[in-house]
mmCIF file of all heavy atoms in Angstrom:
data_model
loop_
_atom_site.group_PDB
_atom_site.id
_atom_site.type_symbol
_atom_site.label_atom_id
_atom_site.label_comp_id
_atom_site.label_asym_id
_atom_site.label_seq_id
_atom_site.Cartn_x
_atom_site.Cartn_y
_atom_site.Cartn_z
ATOM 1 N N LEU H 285 -19.340 -2.482 -3.636
ATOM 2 C CA LEU H 285 -20.066 -1.518 -2.806
ATOM 3 C C LEU H 285 -20.331 -2.063 -1.414
ATOM 4 O O LEU H 285 -20.438 -1.316 -0.456
ATOM 5 C CB LEU H 285 -21.372 -1.105 -3.471
ATOM 6 C CG LEU H 285 -21.234 -0.294 -4.755
ATOM 7 C CD1 LEU H 285 -22.601 0.021 -5.336
ATOM 8 C CD2 LEU H 285 -20.441 0.969 -4.521
ATOM 9 N N GLY H 286 -20.401 -3.370 -1.286
ATOM 10 C CA GLY H 286 -20.608 -3.991 0.013
ATOM 11 C C GLY H 286 -19.432 -3.810 0.951
ATOM 12 O O GLY H 286 -19.567 -3.945 2.163
ATOM 13 N N GLU H 287 -18.276 -3.486 0.396
ATOM 14 C CA GLU H 287 -17.080 -3.264 1.198
ATOM 15 C C GLU H 287 -17.040 -1.858 1.797
ATOM 16 O O GLU H 287 -16.227 -1.579 2.661
ATOM 17 C CB GLU H 287 -15.825 -3.463 0.334
ATOM 18 C CG GLU H 287 -15.686 -4.846 -0.248
ATOM 19 C CD GLU H 287 -15.401 -5.892 0.814
ATOM 20 O OE1 GLU H 287 -14.582 -5.622 1.714
ATOM 21 O OE2 GLU H 287 -16.013 -6.967 0.736
ATOM 22 N N LEU H 288 -17.914 -0.982 1.337
ATOM 23 C CA LEU H 288 -17.885 0.410 1.772
ATOM 24 C C LEU H 288 -18.768 0.625 2.992
ATOM 25 O O LEU H 288 -19.735 -0.103 3.214
ATOM 26 C CB LEU H 288 -18.390 1.316 0.643
ATOM 27 C CG LEU H 288 -17.659 1.212 -0.686
ATOM 28 C CD1 LEU H 288 -18.297 2.172 -1.687
ATOM 29 C CD2 LEU H 288 -16.191 1.472 -0.533
ATOM 30 N N THR H 289 -18.444 1.663 3.745
ATOM 31 C CA THR H 289 -19.323 2.060 4.850
ATOM 32 C C THR H 289 -20.553 2.734 4.260
ATOM 33 O O THR H 289 -20.557 3.169 3.096
ATOM 34 C CB THR H 289 -18.622 3.043 5.801
ATOM 35 O OG1 THR H 289 -18.371 4.270 5.094
ATOM 36 C CG2 THR H 289 -17.306 2.486 6.329
ATOM 37 N N GLN H 290 -21.596 2.845 5.064
ATOM 38 C CA GLN H 290 -22.802 3.525 4.601
ATOM 39 C C GLN H 290 -22.496 4.975 4.224
ATOM 40 O O GLN H 290 -22.989 5.483 3.220
ATOM 41 C CB GLN H 290 -23.899 3.479 5.665
ATOM 42 C CG GLN H 290 -25.213 4.079 5.196
ATOM 43 C CD GLN H 290 -25.809 3.341 4.013
ATOM 44 O OE1 GLN H 290 -25.903 2.124 4.036
ATOM 45 N NE2 GLN H 290 -26.195 4.060 2.975
ATOM 46 N N ALA H 291 -21.655 5.639 5.009
ATOM 47 C CA ALA H 291 -21.288 7.033 4.709
ATOM 48 C C ALA H 291 -20.576 7.125 3.366
ATOM 49 O O ALA H 291 -20.852 8.036 2.572
ATOM 50 C CB ALA H 291 -20.410 7.606 5.815
ATOM 51 N N GLN H 292 -19.684 6.183 3.085
ATOM 52 C CA GLN H 292 -18.970 6.194 1.807
ATOM 53 C C GLN H 292 -19.939 5.968 0.647
ATOM 54 O O GLN H 292 -19.849 6.636 -0.379
ATOM 55 C CB GLN H 292 -17.860 5.145 1.797
ATOM 56 C CG GLN H 292 -16.694 5.500 2.681
ATOM 57 C CD GLN H 292 -15.704 4.369 2.821
ATOM 58 O OE1 GLN H 292 -16.064 3.187 2.789
ATOM 59 N NE2 GLN H 292 -14.435 4.723 2.982
ATOM 60 N N ARG H 293 -20.869 5.044 0.805
ATOM 61 C CA ARG H 293 -21.870 4.811 -0.249
ATOM 62 C C ARG H 293 -22.718 6.058 -0.472
ATOM 63 O O ARG H 293 -23.001 6.428 -1.609
ATOM 64 C CB ARG H 293 -22.751 3.606 0.103
ATOM 65 C CG ARG H 293 -22.036 2.274 -0.049
ATOM 66 C CD ARG H 293 -22.989 1.098 0.020
ATOM 67 N NE ARG H 293 -23.644 0.974 1.314
ATOM 68 C CZ ARG H 293 -23.172 0.284 2.349
ATOM 69 N NH1 ARG H 293 -22.015 -0.333 2.248
ATOM 70 N NH2 ARG H 293 -23.852 0.225 3.475
ATOM 71 N N ASP H 294 -23.121 6.704 0.630
ATOM 72 C CA ASP H 294 -23.918 7.925 0.512
ATOM 73 C C ASP H 294 -23.146 9.015 -0.230
ATOM 74 O O ASP H 294 -23.699 9.695 -1.099
ATOM 75 C CB ASP H 294 -24.318 8.444 1.895
ATOM 76 C CG ASP H 294 -25.326 7.552 2.590
ATOM 77 O OD1 ASP H 294 -25.942 6.691 1.921
ATOM 78 O OD2 ASP H 294 -25.489 7.716 3.823
ATOM 79 N N ILE H 295 -21.882 9.175 0.109
ATOM 80 C CA ILE H 295 -21.056 10.201 -0.534
ATOM 81 C C ILE H 295 -20.910 9.919 -2.019
ATOM 82 O O ILE H 295 -21.094 10.818 -2.854
ATOM 83 C CB ILE H 295 -19.690 10.323 0.166
ATOM 84 C CG1 ILE H 295 -19.881 11.011 1.528
ATOM 85 C CG2 ILE H 295 -18.669 11.067 -0.696
ATOM 86 C CD1 ILE H 295 -18.674 10.953 2.433
ATOM 87 N N LEU H 296 -20.589 8.676 -2.381
ATOM 88 C CA LEU H 296 -20.436 8.353 -3.805
ATOM 89 C C LEU H 296 -21.746 8.537 -4.548
ATOM 90 O O LEU H 296 -21.759 9.034 -5.684
ATOM 91 C CB LEU H 296 -19.918 6.925 -3.969
ATOM 92 C CG LEU H 296 -18.493 6.664 -3.523
ATOM 93 C CD1 LEU H 296 -18.097 5.230 -3.835
ATOM 94 C CD2 LEU H 296 -17.510 7.635 -4.144
ATOM 95 N N SER H 297 -22.845 8.168 -3.919
ATOM 96 C CA SER H 297 -24.149 8.333 -4.553
ATOM 97 C C SER H 297 -24.441 9.805 -4.825
ATOM 98 O O SER H 297 -24.848 10.177 -5.931
ATOM 99 C CB SER H 297 -25.232 7.734 -3.654
ATOM 100 O OG SER H 297 -26.505 7.971 -4.205
ATOM 101 N N GLN H 298 -24.216 10.628 -3.819
ATOM 102 C CA GLN H 298 -24.474 12.056 -3.995
ATOM 103 C C GLN H 298 -23.525 12.680 -5.001
ATOM 104 O O GLN H 298 -23.942 13.528 -5.804
ATOM 105 C CB GLN H 298 -24.364 12.785 -2.658
ATOM 106 C CG GLN H 298 -25.499 12.457 -1.715
ATOM 107 C CD GLN H 298 -25.390 13.210 -0.415
ATOM 108 O OE1 GLN H 298 -25.210 14.419 -0.424
ATOM 109 N NE2 GLN H 298 -25.492 12.495 0.692
ATOM 110 N N ARG H 299 -22.283 12.285 -4.972
ATOM 111 C CA ARG H 299 -21.292 12.885 -5.873
ATOM 112 C C ARG H 299 -21.503 12.456 -7.327
ATOM 113 O O ARG H 299 -21.507 13.287 -8.227
ATOM 114 C CB ARG H 299 -19.873 12.485 -5.441
ATOM 115 C CG ARG H 299 -19.394 13.161 -4.205
ATOM 116 C CD ARG H 299 -18.880 14.571 -4.440
ATOM 117 N NE ARG H 299 -17.661 14.514 -5.218
ATOM 118 C CZ ARG H 299 -17.418 15.285 -6.278
ATOM 119 N NH1 ARG H 299 -18.275 16.172 -6.672
ATOM 120 N NH2 ARG H 299 -16.276 15.167 -6.932
ATOM 121 N N PHE H 300 -21.678 11.164 -7.563
ATOM 122 C CA PHE H 300 -21.647 10.667 -8.933
ATOM 123 C C PHE H 300 -23.013 10.385 -9.539
ATOM 124 O O PHE H 300 -23.161 10.445 -10.751
ATOM 125 C CB PHE H 300 -20.748 9.437 -9.011
ATOM 126 C CG PHE H 300 -19.329 9.759 -8.629
ATOM 127 C CD1 PHE H 300 -18.804 9.330 -7.426
ATOM 128 C CD2 PHE H 300 -18.538 10.545 -9.450
ATOM 129 C CE1 PHE H 300 -17.508 9.644 -7.052
ATOM 130 C CE2 PHE H 300 -17.238 10.880 -9.092
ATOM 131 C CZ PHE H 300 -16.728 10.425 -7.891
ATOM 132 N N TYR H 301 -24.010 10.089 -8.724
ATOM 133 C CA TYR H 301 -25.346 9.859 -9.276
ATOM 134 C C TYR H 301 -26.192 11.116 -9.237
ATOM 135 O O TYR H 301 -26.963 11.374 -10.156
ATOM 136 C CB TYR H 301 -26.051 8.713 -8.537
ATOM 137 C CG TYR H 301 -25.392 7.374 -8.802
ATOM 138 C CD1 TYR H 301 -24.715 6.722 -7.787
ATOM 139 C CD2 TYR H 301 -25.430 6.788 -10.054
ATOM 140 C CE1 TYR H 301 -24.086 5.508 -8.017
ATOM 141 C CE2 TYR H 301 -24.801 5.581 -10.294
ATOM 142 C CZ TYR H 301 -24.139 4.943 -9.276
ATOM 143 O OH TYR H 301 -23.505 3.744 -9.516
ATOM 144 N N GLU H 302 -26.048 11.876 -8.163
ATOM 145 C CA GLU H 302 -26.848 13.095 -8.036
ATOM 146 C C GLU H 302 -26.107 14.320 -8.551
ATOM 147 O O GLU H 302 -26.703 15.378 -8.701
ATOM 148 C CB GLU H 302 -27.252 13.302 -6.575
ATOM 149 C CG GLU H 302 -28.138 12.186 -6.049
ATOM 150 C CD GLU H 302 -28.425 12.297 -4.570
ATOM 151 O OE1 GLU H 302 -28.299 13.411 -4.001
ATOM 152 O OE2 GLU H 302 -28.757 11.262 -3.962
ATOM 153 N N GLY H 303 -24.807 14.190 -8.808
ATOM 154 C CA GLY H 303 -24.035 15.278 -9.382
ATOM 155 C C GLY H 303 -23.742 16.431 -8.440
ATOM 156 O O GLY H 303 -23.511 17.554 -8.883
ATOM 157 N N ARG H 304 -23.753 16.179 -7.150
ATOM 158 C CA ARG H 304 -23.496 17.246 -6.182
ATOM 159 C C ARG H 304 -22.005 17.513 -6.039
ATOM 160 O O ARG H 304 -21.176 16.632 -6.256
ATOM 161 C CB ARG H 304 -24.065 16.878 -4.818
ATOM 162 C CG ARG H 304 -25.571 16.772 -4.816
ATOM 163 C CD ARG H 304 -26.089 16.490 -3.442
ATOM 164 N NE ARG H 304 -27.549 16.378 -3.483
ATOM 165 C CZ ARG H 304 -28.276 16.170 -2.435
ATOM 166 N NH1 ARG H 304 -27.725 16.052 -1.242
ATOM 167 N NH2 ARG H 304 -29.590 16.079 -2.544
ATOM 168 N N THR H 305 -21.685 18.713 -5.649
ATOM 169 C CA THR H 305 -20.289 19.080 -5.380
ATOM 170 C C THR H 305 -19.895 18.542 -4.004
ATOM 171 O O THR H 305 -20.765 18.181 -3.183
ATOM 172 C CB THR H 305 -20.092 20.601 -5.387
ATOM 173 O OG1 THR H 305 -20.811 21.156 -4.279
ATOM 174 C CG2 THR H 305 -20.550 21.227 -6.700
ATOM 175 N N ARG H 306 -18.597 18.536 -3.730
ATOM 176 C CA ARG H 306 -18.141 18.104 -2.403
ATOM 177 C C ARG H 306 -18.699 19.010 -1.311
ATOM 178 O O ARG H 306 -19.056 18.546 -0.235
ATOM 179 C CB ARG H 306 -16.619 18.075 -2.347
ATOM 180 C CG ARG H 306 -16.031 16.926 -3.119
ATOM 181 C CD ARG H 306 -14.525 16.864 -2.970
ATOM 182 N NE ARG H 306 -14.021 15.761 -3.757
ATOM 183 C CZ ARG H 306 -12.964 15.847 -4.543
ATOM 184 N NH1 ARG H 306 -12.291 16.974 -4.623
ATOM 185 N NH2 ARG H 306 -12.574 14.802 -5.228
ATOM 186 N N ALA H 307 -18.781 20.305 -1.600
ATOM 187 C CA ALA H 307 -19.320 21.250 -0.616
ATOM 188 C C ALA H 307 -20.790 20.943 -0.323
ATOM 189 O O ALA H 307 -21.229 20.983 0.833
ATOM 190 C CB ALA H 307 -19.155 22.682 -1.107
ATOM 191 N N GLN H 308 -21.565 20.624 -1.350
ATOM 192 C CA GLN H 308 -22.972 20.290 -1.144
ATOM 193 C C GLN H 308 -23.116 18.999 -0.330
ATOM 194 O O GLN H 308 -23.951 18.918 0.572
ATOM 195 C CB GLN H 308 -23.678 20.132 -2.497
ATOM 196 C CG GLN H 308 -23.843 21.430 -3.252
ATOM 197 C CD GLN H 308 -24.318 21.211 -4.662
ATOM 198 O OE1 GLN H 308 -23.944 20.232 -5.323
ATOM 199 N NE2 GLN H 308 -25.145 22.133 -5.164
ATOM 200 N N VAL H 309 -22.306 18.008 -0.660
ATOM 201 C CA VAL H 309 -22.337 16.745 0.080
ATOM 202 C C VAL H 309 -21.935 16.981 1.531
ATOM 203 O O VAL H 309 -22.561 16.445 2.459
ATOM 204 C CB VAL H 309 -21.417 15.688 -0.576
ATOM 205 C CG1 VAL H 309 -21.350 14.426 0.278
ATOM 206 C CG2 VAL H 309 -21.898 15.356 -1.983
ATOM 207 N N ALA H 310 -20.924 17.794 1.741
ATOM 208 C CA ALA H 310 -20.455 18.085 3.096
ATOM 209 C C ALA H 310 -21.580 18.676 3.939
ATOM 210 O O ALA H 310 -21.764 18.300 5.105
ATOM 211 C CB ALA H 310 -19.266 19.035 3.054
ATOM 212 N N ARG H 311 -22.351 19.577 3.351
ATOM 213 C CA ARG H 311 -23.466 20.179 4.084
ATOM 214 C C ARG H 311 -24.510 19.129 4.459
ATOM 215 O O ARG H 311 -25.024 19.127 5.576
ATOM 216 C CB ARG H 311 -24.101 21.306 3.274
ATOM 217 C CG ARG H 311 -23.308 22.598 3.321
ATOM 218 C CD ARG H 311 -24.094 23.771 2.756
ATOM 219 N NE ARG H 311 -24.366 23.642 1.325
ATOM 220 C CZ ARG H 311 -23.522 24.021 0.362
ATOM 221 N NH1 ARG H 311 -22.353 24.548 0.673
ATOM 222 N NH2 ARG H 311 -23.848 23.883 -0.906
ATOM 223 N N THR H 312 -24.832 18.225 3.540
ATOM 224 C CA THR H 312 -25.854 17.212 3.840
ATOM 225 C C THR H 312 -25.342 16.185 4.848
ATOM 226 O O THR H 312 -26.139 15.635 5.613
ATOM 227 C CB THR H 312 -26.337 16.470 2.575
ATOM 228 O OG1 THR H 312 -25.271 15.707 2.023
ATOM 229 C CG2 THR H 312 -26.911 17.438 1.557
ATOM 230 N N GLN H 313 -24.034 15.937 4.854
ATOM 231 C CA GLN H 313 -23.449 14.953 5.767
ATOM 232 C C GLN H 313 -23.050 15.557 7.108
ATOM 233 O O GLN H 313 -22.739 14.825 8.047
ATOM 234 C CB GLN H 313 -22.211 14.303 5.125
ATOM 235 C CG GLN H 313 -22.484 13.506 3.874
ATOM 236 C CD GLN H 313 -23.201 12.213 4.179
ATOM 237 O OE1 GLN H 313 -22.857 11.511 5.121
ATOM 238 N NE2 GLN H 313 -24.206 11.895 3.390
ATOM 239 N N GLY H 314 -22.986 16.876 7.173
ATOM 240 C CA GLY H 314 -22.588 17.536 8.404
ATOM 241 C C GLY H 314 -21.101 17.424 8.696
ATOM 242 O O GLY H 314 -20.689 17.353 9.856
ATOM 243 N N VAL H 315 -20.304 17.377 7.622
ATOM 244 C CA VAL H 315 -18.846 17.278 7.749
ATOM 245 C C VAL H 315 -18.198 18.328 6.856
ATOM 246 O O VAL H 315 -18.883 19.048 6.136
ATOM 247 C CB VAL H 315 -18.341 15.859 7.372
ATOM 248 C CG1 VAL H 315 -18.922 14.799 8.296
ATOM 249 C CG2 VAL H 315 -18.682 15.528 5.916
ATOM 250 N N THR H 316 -16.872 18.394 6.896
ATOM 251 C CA THR H 316 -16.162 19.348 6.043
ATOM 252 C C THR H 316 -16.015 18.803 4.623
ATOM 253 O O THR H 316 -16.145 17.597 4.385
ATOM 254 C CB THR H 316 -14.756 19.639 6.594
ATOM 255 O OG1 THR H 316 -13.971 18.432 6.513
ATOM 256 C CG2 THR H 316 -14.804 20.149 8.027
ATOM 257 N N ARG H 317 -15.743 19.712 3.707
ATOM 258 C CA ARG H 317 -15.489 19.319 2.315
ATOM 259 C C ARG H 317 -14.285 18.388 2.242
ATOM 260 O O ARG H 317 -14.271 17.427 1.467
ATOM 261 C CB ARG H 317 -15.266 20.565 1.456
ATOM 262 C CG ARG H 317 -15.203 20.274 -0.029
ATOM 263 C CD ARG H 317 -15.062 21.541 -0.853
ATOM 264 N NE ARG H 317 -13.910 22.340 -0.522
ATOM 265 C CZ ARG H 317 -12.653 22.072 -0.924
ATOM 266 N NH1 ARG H 317 -12.405 21.055 -1.676
ATOM 267 N NH2 ARG H 317 -11.668 22.866 -0.576
ATOM 268 N N GLU H 318 -13.278 18.645 3.068
ATOM 269 C CA GLU H 318 -12.093 17.788 3.091
ATOM 270 C C GLU H 318 -12.430 16.379 3.569
ATOM 271 O O GLU H 318 -11.901 15.398 3.051
ATOM 272 C CB GLU H 318 -11.002 18.403 3.976
ATOM 273 C CG GLU H 318 -9.735 17.592 4.057
ATOM 274 C CD GLU H 318 -9.003 17.400 2.734
ATOM 275 O OE1 GLU H 318 -9.285 18.116 1.748
ATOM 276 O OE2 GLU H 318 -8.124 16.511 2.688
#
Side-chain angles (χ1 to χ4, degrees):
L285 293 178
E287 299 291 318
L288 304 180
T289 66
Q290 184 62 49
Q292 289 171 328
R293 287 192 296 271
D294 291 345
I295 287 169
L296 291 184
S297 176
Q298 290 181 50
R299 287 280 292 133
F300 298 107
Y301 292 111
E302 297 174 21
R304 295 183 181 182
T305 66
R306 287 184 181 135
Q308 290 170 324
V309 174
R311 282 192 294 274
T312 66
Q313 297 288 316
V315 298
T316 66
R317 189 177 58 78
E318 180 62 15

